[in-house]
Amino acid sequence: MGRLVRGAATEAPARPRPSRSGGPGKPEDDGEAPVLRQAAAALPGQVDSKVLGLHAAMQQLVEILVTENKALANHDFTTVQSLTETKIARTRRYQELMDGIKNSPRVLLELNNEQRGVLRTLGETLDGLARENARRLKANIEASNHLLRSVAEAVRDQQRDNAPAYSAEGMVNGPAASGRQTSVSVNELL
């Protein structure tokens, strides 16, 4: 049985620093602050240490996803890349804690309505951010693939246009060489 502890995280999650605008001390209103305030809600009363750990892991994932989603929206791939290892580690930890809860679901049944509400709200926030993250990542991957295909096609077209070709009249790269019959020769002296 897990031990009961006060509803405050034993290890404070790392918080991303909000960007500043509009003068000193005024955070930019980009929707980030309300989500982070909502995620920072502590579990009231005493809860099992497994639930407390799960709550802290969820908060940490929310913070990472808020930061990564903002970076993806701003095409700040340096920040996205810098978050990758932490995101993977926190996701793994979250999954381990969820597996532990699945093996002892009674710890959730022992929660009061207010504690359940905090976890439910945090879970809904995490789910929404994860869906947004997946959409943003997919869109960025598709955009990158489109760009690479366009570059590859442009290079292929340029190489094709610059390759020696013979027309029906035997002209090399002449105006009648529109069929682009590329010449290939083998040097038999080699």
Side-chain angles (χ1 to χ4, degrees), residues 69-116:
N69 287 345
K70 184 176 179 180
L72 286 167
N74 294 326
H75 306 290
D76 178 4
F77 301 114
T78 303
T79 299
V80 172
Q81 185 176 10
S82 72
L83 291 170
T84 301
E85 285 185 41
T86 305
K87 180 181 170 185
I88 290 169
R90 303 289 182 184
T91 301
R92 241 183 237 130
R93 178 68 180 141
Y94 170 73
Q95 188 59 50
E96 290 168 1
L97 290 164
M98 284 299 293
D99 290 344
I101 297 284
K102 286 179 188 174
N103 293 333
S104 341
R106 63 154 179 66
V107 296
L108 294 178
L109 297 173
E110 294 171 354
L111 298 176
N112 64 36
N113 287 339
E114 187 178 4
Q115 293 165 335
R116 282 189 191 119

Side-chain angles (χ1 to χ4, degrees), residues 35-79:
V35 171
L36 292 176
R37 273 197 304 276
Q38 186 178 15
L43 284 169
Q46 293 187 346
V47 295
D48 188 283
S49 60
K50 290 179 185 178
V51 174
L52 189 60
L54 177 65
H55 180 261
M58 291 169 73
Q59 287 178 317
Q60 291 168 350
L61 276 174
V62 163
E63 291 166 355
I64 288 169
L65 290 174
V66 164
T67 303
E68 186 174 67
N69 287 345
K70 184 176 179 180
L72 286 167
N74 294 326
H75 306 290
D76 178 4
F77 301 114
T78 303
T79 299

